[in-house]
């Protein structure tokens, strides 16, 4: 029996795929070697979610894998017109990051409301300065992105007493449509970006949107860096159009050391870590092995991405 060839576009450490021993021929590659090995692969595992090598290598000559899985929620780093138009099935890591990201957003909200960065600064300076902080209960949040991550964020914030409103591509039960976005962010204390990156969402948080927000609002991005016009956000923070922001993802990653974003007043920078909890790589590996077993058994895959929309449809 001919074993299927699994090509892993790697990162360090590599995935644990012990359950596939004797059931697949596993090859590993980096960005530079992907194009040469791609025609030999039946399945491509994009383990390095930061790599954009698939977009460059896919249009080349030769056969292409029947299935591509990315160990990330977003798929914008690999989708190109040729892949979108092909018969290749694309799946993602939907379900792994929902609760961790929701917890991280809740931590950012509490950190901002309770002025914890200032408390740490004063402690370092040995300064005793009493202050008043904001209550979280009773505030409003607008969560942009109605997929599993956005819904988990809304649930977690609701448990803190926050009144969340979800905004998605299509209005439905408990979900507002894009036409309601400006109205909702205009009265929100917390505006959370958790949408996938598509042609419709790219740059959606621009000067207009930051101008609509109230001066006491805090903006949080745990979606994709390209959702945000970073220059417009910088201007909004400098002019104090909004009270603060927290970014966990950026248009260029790692964020260059000379980026002006590091020094913006009221901006908390974190290195794309909101979904990465202890053991997350093992969860991603186990999820892929489960999908591989479904694939080899001829069963329908789950987490199948609509390649035109750029995300897994449904909730």
């Amino acid at each position: 029996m001919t074993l299927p060839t699994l090509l892993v576009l790697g990162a360090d450490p590599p995935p644990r795929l012990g359950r596939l021993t004797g059931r697949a021929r596993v090859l590993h590659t980096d960005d530079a070697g992907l194009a040469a090995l791609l025609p030999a692969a039946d399945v491509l595992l994009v383990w390095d979610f930061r790599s954009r090598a698939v977009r460059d290598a896919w249009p080349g000559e030769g056969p292409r894998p029947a299935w591509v899985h990315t160990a990330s929620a977003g798929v914008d780093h690999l989708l190109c017109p040729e892949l979108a138009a092909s018969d290749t099935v694309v799946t993602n890591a939907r379900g792994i990051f929902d609760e961790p990201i929701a917890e991280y957003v809740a931590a950012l909200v509490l950190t901002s409301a309770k002025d914890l960065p200032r408390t740490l600064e004063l402690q370092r300076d040995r300064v005793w300065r009493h202050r008043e902080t904001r209550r979280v209960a009773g505030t409003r949040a607008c969560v942009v992105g109605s997929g599993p991550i956005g819904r988990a964020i809304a649930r977690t914030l609701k448990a803190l007493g926050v009144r969340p409103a979800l905004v998605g591509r299509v209005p439905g039960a408990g979900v507002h449509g894009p036409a309601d976005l400006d109205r909702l962010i205009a009265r929100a204390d917390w505006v959370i970006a958790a949408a996938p990156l598509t042609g419709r969402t790219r740059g959606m948080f621009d000067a207009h949107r930051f101008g609509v927000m109230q001066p006491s609002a805090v903006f949080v991005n745990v979606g994709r860096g390209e959702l945000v016009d970073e220059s417009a956000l910088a201007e909004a923070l400098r002019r104090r159009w909004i009270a603060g922001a927290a970014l966990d993802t950026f248009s260029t990653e790692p964020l260059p050391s000379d980026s002006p974003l590091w020094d913006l007043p009221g901006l908390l920078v974190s290195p794309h870590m909101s979904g990465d909890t202890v053991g997350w790589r093992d969860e991603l590996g186990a999820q892929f092995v489960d999908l591989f077993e479904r694939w080899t058994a001829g069963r329908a895959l789950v987490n199948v991405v609509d390649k035109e929309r750029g995300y897994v449809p449904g909730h």
Side-chain angles (χ1 to χ4, degrees):
M1 181 181 69
T2 302
L3 297 178
T5 297
L6 166 62
L7 179 61
V8 180
L9 178 57
D12 191 23
R16 296 184 181 181
L17 303 175
R19 280 164 51 192
L20 300 186
T21 302
R23 301 166 64 185
R25 174 175 172 253
V26 181
L27 305 176
H28 292 264
T29 186
D30 57 12
D31 287 5
L34 178 63
L37 291 175
L38 202 55
D42 298 298
V43 179
L44 173 64
L45 168 57
V46 184
W47 187 247
D48 184 358
F49 69 88
R50 298 164 298 183
S51 172
R52 295 183 178 270
V54 176
R55 297 175 63 93
D56 296 328
W58 196 271
E61 296 182 0
R64 290 296 179 259
W67 167 36
V68 174
H69 177 77
T70 180
S72 60
V75 297
D76 51 280
H77 61 294
L78 58 88
L79 282 183
C80 60
E82 293 81 3
L83 175 53
S86 72
D87 294 330
T88 297
V89 176
V90 175
T91 56
N92 73 351
R94 179 183 174 112
I96 298 294
F97 302 107
D98 308 355
E99 297 302 331
I101 291 178
E103 292 173 358
Y104 198 87
V105 170
L108 292 174
V109 167
L110 290 169
T111 294
S112 175
K114 302 309 176 185
D115 197 23
L116 295 184
R118 184 62 176 152
T119 296
L120 293 173
E121 289 176 6
L122 292 170
Q123 180 179 349
R124 281 193 297 267
D125 295 337
R126 298 172 178 256
V127 174
W128 180 280
R129 183 172 300 159
H130 182 270
R131 288 137 30 241
E132 296 178 347
T133 62
R134 298 175 66 183
R135 287 194 64 177
V136 170
T139 60
R140 297 176 183 269
C142 178
V143 182
V144 184
S146 61
I149 292 174
R151 289 174 178 269
I153 291 170
R155 287 194 305 271
T156 303
L157 292 180
K158 189 174 182 180
L160 295 175
V162 178
R163 291 176 284 178
L166 270 173
V167 178
R169 179 176 178 269
V170 179
V175 178
H176 297 268
D180 293 331
L181 179 57
D182 284 359
R183 175 178 62 84
L184 291 170
I185 65 175
R187 63 180 186 175
D189 300 284
W190 319 100
V191 179
I192 319 295
L197 180 62
T198 68
R200 295 184 179 211
T201 62
R202 187 181 300 273
M204 67 184 301
F205 290 99
D206 54 11
H208 165 73
R209 292 269 155 70
F210 292 121
V212 167
M213 296 178 197
Q214 53 186 339
S216 60
V218 173
F219 174 74
V220 176
N221 185 17
V222 289
R224 281 291 180 265
E226 292 92 335
L227 297 175
V228 180
D229 180 335
E230 292 174 348
S231 296
L233 173 60
E235 186 72 3
L237 288 169
R238 292 191 188 102
R239 292 179 176 272
R240 303 193 183 278
W241 292 347
I242 60 175
L247 302 181
D248 186 56
T249 182
F250 301 84
S251 58
T252 299
E253 295 184 2
L255 185 66
S257 60
D258 60 352
S259 170
L261 295 176
W262 289 106
D263 300 316
L264 281 177
L267 177 61
L268 190 153
V269 171
S270 60
H272 207 145
M273 59 181 282
S274 60
D276 302 347
T277 52
V278 175
W280 67 287
R281 292 183 179 88
D282 290 340
E283 291 183 51
L284 287 170
Q287 181 189 54
F288 173 74
V289 171
D290 289 342
L291 286 169
F292 190 90
E293 290 174 343
R294 294 179 70 97
W295 182 74
T296 54
R299 298 164 58 199
L301 290 170
V302 297
N303 290 3
V304 175
V305 173
D306 183 321
K307 293 183 290 184
E308 294 300 321
R309 297 183 183 181
Y311 55 88
V312 179
H315 303 305

